[in-house]
Structure formats: structure tokens, C-alpha cells
Amino acid sequence: MQELGCPSMRILRNRRPFENAVLATAPVCGALLITLDVRPPSVEMAMPAPIRIGWELGLIAVGLAGLVGLSWPGRISTGLGIELASMLMLGTIAGMYAVALAVMSGRLAVAAASFIIAVAVGAWWRAVEILLDLRRLVRGIEKARLESRIGGSR
């Protein structure tokens, strides 16, 4: 966990076990789909080959980028930016899979599609949280600069 800021500004990082689990699982899933040359029938039928390959590679990229963002040792804004990109991609990739499931399996896919949609919504929700954290970070930096100018001019 990484906590930053003054007492009025708290940005907590890496305290989301579900996000961490999804990000750790995504590249494994993508790599297995590619190396074993197997995929869900709904994906096989609903996605043309170039999109399917992009989806599989996207799983790998999302997971690796998200884990890098969560463990970024440098500036917090950079880590949050990487995590933001990963969450937006994860929401899109999960949404693609949910649509493929729903289109190909209809009502039979209600349970699976619901869980996949929950992953997409959770990723987009986290993206909004990151944007709000970045805004708080910018405001905190601006406030600190203003206070240093006022304090330094006395």
C-alpha cells in the first residue's frame, strides 16, 4: 500500500484485492488462449480473427500494464496514469467478451455475462476513482505551490 499527500489529501494505492486478482489473471489467461490455441466458442464465432487476436493480446497487455501501474516505484501520477489506461482497456476487453457471450449464447449466458459485465463495470468504476485521485493530486500540488509562494515571500 502506498499513501501520499498531506493529511487533507489521501491517495491509497494497491488496496484492491479483486483488481489485483483480475490483473494477475488476465495475462495468464491471454497467454494460455494463445499458446494452447483454444478459446471460448462464443469468442471464436463472434469475433473475426484480427479482433480475437487483439482481444487475446489485450488481456496480456492489460494485466501486465495494470500490475506495473500498481507497483510503479516513481511518481504516483505516472503509476496512476498507467493503472488508468489498464482499467479502461480492461473494461473494454471484458465488455467485448460479455457481448460475444450474450450474442452467441443468449439467455444461456446470463450468469457468465453478468459476472463479466461486473468486471467491466468495476474496471470503469476504478478508472473514475483514478481520475478523481489525479484531480486531488493536482489540486494538492497547486495548493502546496501556492502556500510555498505565500510563505516564501514574507
Side-chain angles (χ1 to χ4, degrees):
M1 174 183 73
Q2 192 176 26
E3 181 180 336
L4 296 172
C6 59
S8 64
M9 181 180 68
R10 288 183 52 174
I11 298 174
L12 298 173
R13 297 187 59 215
N14 208 9
R15 292 203 38 176
R16 292 166 181 82
F18 293 103
E19 177 186 356
N20 294 348
V22 170
L23 291 175
T25 304
V28 173
C29 180
L32 288 173
L33 288 169
I34 292 169
T35 56
L36 298 176
D37 196 27
V38 296
R39 56 204 48 85
S42 56
V43 168
E44 189 75 44
M45 294 187 307
M47 295 182 193
I51 294 186
R52 187 181 64 241
I53 292 167
W55 178 75
E56 293 165 347
L57 292 173
L59 283 168
I60 297 169
V62 159
L64 295 178
L67 293 172
V68 165
L70 287 172
S71 60
W72 190 258
R75 301 176 88 183
I76 187 168
S77 58
T78 303
L80 286 170
I82 294 168
E83 185 184 355
L84 172 62
S86 175
M87 290 297 102
L88 292 172
M89 279 181 61
L90 176 61
T92 302
I93 287 172
M96 289 171 65
Y97 184 42
V99 168
L101 270 172
V103 167
M104 300 314 294
S105 301
R107 292 183 350 185
L108 296 175
V110 168
S114 297
F115 275 93
I116 300 302
I117 289 169
V119 170
V121 170
W124 291 323
W125 186 327
R126 177 64 186 134
V128 170
E129 288 180 341
I130 293 169
L131 286 172
L132 294 174
D133 285 345
L134 286 169
R135 283 183 67 194
R136 275 194 295 276
L137 185 61
V138 167
R139 285 185 184 149
I141 291 169
E142 289 172 351
K143 183 178 176 183
R145 283 184 183 161
L146 181 62
E147 288 173 356
S148 71
R149 286 183 190 157
I150 292 171
S153 63
R154 290 184 185 175

